[in-house]
């Protein structure tokens, strides 16, 4: 895979021009026992920060984390021809699917039902339609023809994806799945679970979504800064998290066409890219939940935000309007 979630990742850590960007600030050194790995994971800048008195053992655990990331990429990647997801999209069915894929697709299906279809992993044909349209020289900036959008919407619908322990398949030829709104969070959680199983506490993961285990080793919560629209580098509020996760979704991260009207975020009901929010940041108990909720809230009409968050009482959302003002909901 070249970029598992390249269409969705908002910003590299520390770089922000607009919206709410995640800036983990809690990884300051606390003596030699704080081990920080920085590199690339899931096709983007990443870091693993953990507190361990033995640097060699810390490095061994980090290597296990990287192996787990690579393993899960072979399941969830859109871009690796040999991944389980790529084979499902190519063949229309997958027999004896990996348990990781069945589990994540099942979680996605539950959120689809809970959000009345606003979260839908079968929107991949819409992305393909727009990528093909805008990839042509002289593409109409108004986007694909309405007839093409209508035809593509017939291939979208979470109930057309069938999930069983021994088989995953589509009801209609031409359907396809993207896990770009949930897989990065899932992988972050799996790495957190691995470290917890090895007795680790005081961990901060940034694998595109941020997940904290316990507190910073100096006893304070981990700190995640929020940088506001149009004011990069300016003083910003900070979220303090402990045993929690943070994820951001924003259309400005990846767009189609010169006008910024079309993004990688699609309303499964209309095929359009909603403009309700400039960005959505969610704090939740797990990175999977934060990731999926930030995606869902980005396309959900504002009037339905409170009801969805009420179903996840431990989640808080920070929603940036197009004018830069921020609304807080849930929690």
């Amino acid at each position: 895979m070249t970029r598992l979630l390249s269409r969705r990742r908002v910003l590299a850590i520390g770089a922000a021009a607009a919206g709410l960007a995640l800036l983990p600030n809690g990884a300051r050194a606390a003596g030699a026992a704080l081990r920080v790995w920085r590199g690339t994971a899931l096709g983007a800048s990443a870091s693993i920060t953990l507190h361990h008195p033995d640097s060699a053992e810390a490095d061994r655990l980090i290597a296990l984390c990287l192996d787990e990331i690579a393993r899960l990429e072979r399941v969830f990647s859109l871009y690796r021809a040999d991944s389980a997801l790529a084979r499902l999209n190519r063949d229309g069915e997958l027999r004896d699917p990996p348990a990781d894929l069945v589990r994540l697709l099942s979680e996605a299906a539950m959120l689809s039902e809970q959000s009345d279809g606003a979260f839908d992993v079968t929107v991949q044909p819409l992305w393909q339609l727009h990528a093909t349209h805008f990839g042509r020289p002289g593409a109409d900036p108004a986007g694909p023809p309405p007839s093409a959008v209508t035809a593509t919407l017939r291939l979208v619908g979470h109930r057309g994806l069938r999930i069983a322990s021994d088989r995953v398949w589509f009801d209609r030829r031409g359907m396809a799945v993207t896990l770009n709104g949930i897989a990065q969070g899932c992988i972050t959680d799996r790495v957190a679970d691995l470290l917890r199983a090895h007795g680790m506490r005081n961990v901060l993961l940034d694998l595109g979504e941020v997940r904290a285990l316990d507190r910073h080793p100096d006893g304070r919560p981990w700190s995640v800064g929020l940088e506001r629209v149009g004011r990069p580098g300016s003083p910003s509020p900070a979220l303090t998290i402990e045993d929690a996760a943070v994820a951001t979704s924003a259309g400005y991260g990846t767009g189609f066409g010169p006008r910024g009207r079309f993004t990688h975020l699609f309303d499964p009901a209309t095929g359009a890219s909603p403009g309700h929010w400039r960005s959505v940041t969610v704090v939740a108990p797990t990175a999977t939940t934060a990731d999926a909720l930030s995606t869902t809230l980005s396309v959900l009409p504002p009037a339905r935000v409170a009801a969805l968050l009420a179903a996840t009482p431990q989640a808080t959302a920070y929603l940036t309007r197009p004018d830069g003002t921020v609304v807080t909901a849930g929690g």
Side-chain angles (χ1 to χ4, degrees):
M1 181 182 97
T2 55
R3 291 181 68 84
L4 175 66
L5 294 176
S6 61
R7 298 202 314 268
R8 184 178 177 279
R9 179 161 174 90
V10 179
L11 296 169
I13 295 300
L20 293 177
L22 299 183
L23 303 170
N25 296 322
R28 289 187 289 272
L34 192 64
R35 198 71 168 176
V36 182
W37 171 88
R38 292 184 178 88
T40 300
L42 312 176
S45 298
S47 66
I48 299 173
T49 302
L50 52 85
H51 184 255
H52 200 291
D54 184 337
S55 61
E57 176 62 10
D59 290 344
R60 186 187 74 84
L61 291 174
I62 288 170
L64 289 177
C65 292
L66 298 181
D67 287 344
E68 178 70 351
I69 292 168
R71 183 186 72 81
L72 291 169
E73 283 182 332
R74 293 191 291 271
V75 176
F76 300 138
S77 172
L78 270 173
Y79 303 102
R80 288 181 56 136
D82 63 342
S83 77
L85 182 63
R87 287 185 284 123
L88 170 63
N89 287 342
R90 182 186 65 231
D91 301 334
E93 73 167 352
L94 185 66
R95 295 187 179 274
D96 299 319
D100 293 296
L101 182 63
V102 172
R103 175 181 168 184
L104 189 57
L105 288 176
S106 298
E107 291 179 7
M110 287 190 290
L111 182 56
S112 294
E113 294 293 340
Q114 190 177 44
S115 64
D116 295 325
F119 183 83
D120 192 331
V121 297
T122 69
V123 296
Q124 177 65 8
L126 285 169
W127 185 88
Q128 292 170 330
L129 173 68
H130 286 78
T132 300
H133 173 83
F134 284 107
R136 298 190 185 104
D140 184 350
S147 59
V149 176
T150 299
T152 302
L153 283 171
R154 298 191 187 105
L155 302 176
V156 176
H158 64 93
R159 293 193 178 99
L161 171 64
R162 303 307 182 100
I163 308 162
S165 61
D166 61 347
R167 181 181 175 224
V168 179
W169 72 101
F170 298 124
D171 273 353
R172 300 181 292 284
R173 183 180 298 275
M175 292 184 69
V177 161
T178 173
L179 294 173
N180 286 9
I182 192 170
Q184 203 159 7
C186 172
I187 292 173
T188 303
D189 285 335
R190 298 297 174 82
V191 172
D193 292 343
L194 183 155
L195 290 172
R196 185 80 87 183
H198 281 80
M200 292 302 301
R201 304 173 55 210
N202 312 120
V203 172
L204 184 69
L205 301 171
D206 167 30
L207 303 177
E209 318 304 350
V210 174
R211 172 78 189 269
L213 298 184
D214 296 332
R215 290 176 166 247
H216 188 282
D218 68 7
R220 59 185 167 85
W222 297 99
S223 178
V224 179
L226 299 180
E227 192 159 350
R228 294 191 181 280
V229 174
R231 290 186 288 170
S234 63
S236 60
L239 301 175
T240 55
I241 58 172
E242 176 184 354
D243 277 331
V246 188
T248 288
S249 186
Y252 64 80
T254 303
F256 299 102
R259 300 177 182 174
R261 173 182 167 190
F262 303 96
T263 75
H264 65 287
L265 295 167
F266 295 103
D267 184 337
T270 67
S273 295
H276 312 306
W277 311 109
R278 181 73 169 166
S279 69
V280 177
T281 293
V282 172
V283 181
T286 68
T288 305
T289 299
D291 192 5
L293 275 180
S294 67
T295 302
T296 308
L297 294 173
S298 294
V299 302
L300 200 68
R304 294 170 56 193
V305 167
L308 181 61
L309 286 171
T312 313
Q314 292 178 288
T316 302
Y318 302 87
L319 307 107
T320 301
R321 294 189 176 109
D323 65 3
T325 58
V326 179
V327 177
T328 302

